[in-house]
Amino acid sequence: MGQLPYDVAHLLGGGVLLLSFVLLYQRRVGAVISALAVQGTLLALLVAWQGWVLDAAGLYITALAAFLAKAVAIPLGLRWLARRFGLHRAVETAIGIGPGLIAGVGLVALAILVVLPATTGSPSLAREGLAIALSVVLLGVLMMITRQHAIGQVVGLLSLENGLVLAAAGVRGLPLVVELATAALVLVLAGVAGFFAWRLREDFAEGDFATLDLGLLHRHRGEAPFVEDAP
């Protein structure tokens, strides 16, 4: 097969990483959910490819589960939440888009500097795959930190977990039960996050200004006054 397994794995892994930057860049809820669905699809394809390269039939099951959960079920659930709460506008971030992307590039550089020296002697595919996976994890954490919107933070959590699955898929001999348990965990987390988002919306709804923007909680902590948006 020569260079083909290496090239295809890096193409798919690079696509997953690129979608993490798209998630950081996008501000509209619908576009963020769409990018998450595409990232889940690429992740499923990559896991299936790793199953073929590593001759691990169990990874095909993981790929199918990842596709059904991350590319279909979870995005549909998030879209339902967006329709339920009327979330169609752009959401605010704690820092600007430009500084966020610069911070993301810095985190990718950090992941490379940490992983590559620590995995000297390992196959190139595994080393660079782990570097990409750690980059996706760190970008997911960054999104959770910078987004002031419940849906955006849930998407950041799901993107972070995509990086964990990406790392697990590249490790030869990892028991299938661990991978499936990880996928089940993120489904539970997504369900819990969705439930609490709904409860926050119900408890703090105030007429036309009902929202899932977590910045509205600042006034309850005495950090900043609440200013109503202009009509």
Side-chain angles (χ1 to χ4, degrees), residues 54 63 164 180 211:
L54 300 176
L164 296 179
L180 294 180
T211 179

Side-chain angles (χ1 to χ4, degrees), residues 32-115:
V32 168
I33 296 173
S34 296
L36 179 68
V38 176
Q39 187 183 56
T41 301
L42 290 179
L43 176 67
L45 290 174
L46 179 55
V47 172
W49 180 256
Q50 292 280 30
W52 183 76
V53 171
L54 300 176
D55 194 22
L59 287 178
Y60 295 126
I61 301 175
T62 304
L64 178 61
F67 176 76
L68 294 177
K70 300 172 182 297
V72 179
I74 292 177
L76 286 177
L78 292 176
R79 288 189 185 280
W80 178 85
L81 281 176
R83 289 194 303 269
R84 170 68 175 79
F85 300 142
L87 304 175
H88 303 294
R89 61 182 178 83
V91 296
E92 297 298 326
T93 57
I95 60 177
I97 297 298
L101 292 176
I102 294 174
V105 172
L107 290 175
V108 172
L110 175 63
I112 294 173
L113 292 175
V114 169
V115 172

Side-chain angles (χ1 to χ4, degrees), residues 163-212:
L164 296 179
V165 174
L166 182 60
V171 178
R172 184 183 295 272
L174 186 69
L176 175 63
V177 65
V178 175
E179 299 167 24
L180 294 180
T182 302
L185 175 61
V186 74
L187 286 174
V188 173
L189 290 175
V192 171
F195 171 76
F196 278 105
W198 174 72
R199 289 304 308 165
L200 283 172
R201 164 61 162 75
E202 294 296 320
D203 291 343
F204 293 103
E206 297 186 9
D208 295 333
F209 299 99
T211 179
L212 287 180

Side-chain angles (χ1 to χ4, degrees), residues 11 15 17 19 30 85 94 109 111 113 122 144 146 154 156 164 193 212:
L11 177 63
L17 179 58
L19 264 297
F85 300 142
L113 292 175
S122 300
M144 292 178 64
T146 58
V154 169
L164 296 179
L212 287 180

Side-chain angles (χ1 to χ4, degrees), residues 1-19:
M1 295 298 295
Q3 191 73 7
L4 182 61
Y6 183 90
D7 291 340
V8 173
H10 278 73
L11 177 63
L12 295 173
V16 173
L17 179 58
L18 177 62
L19 264 297

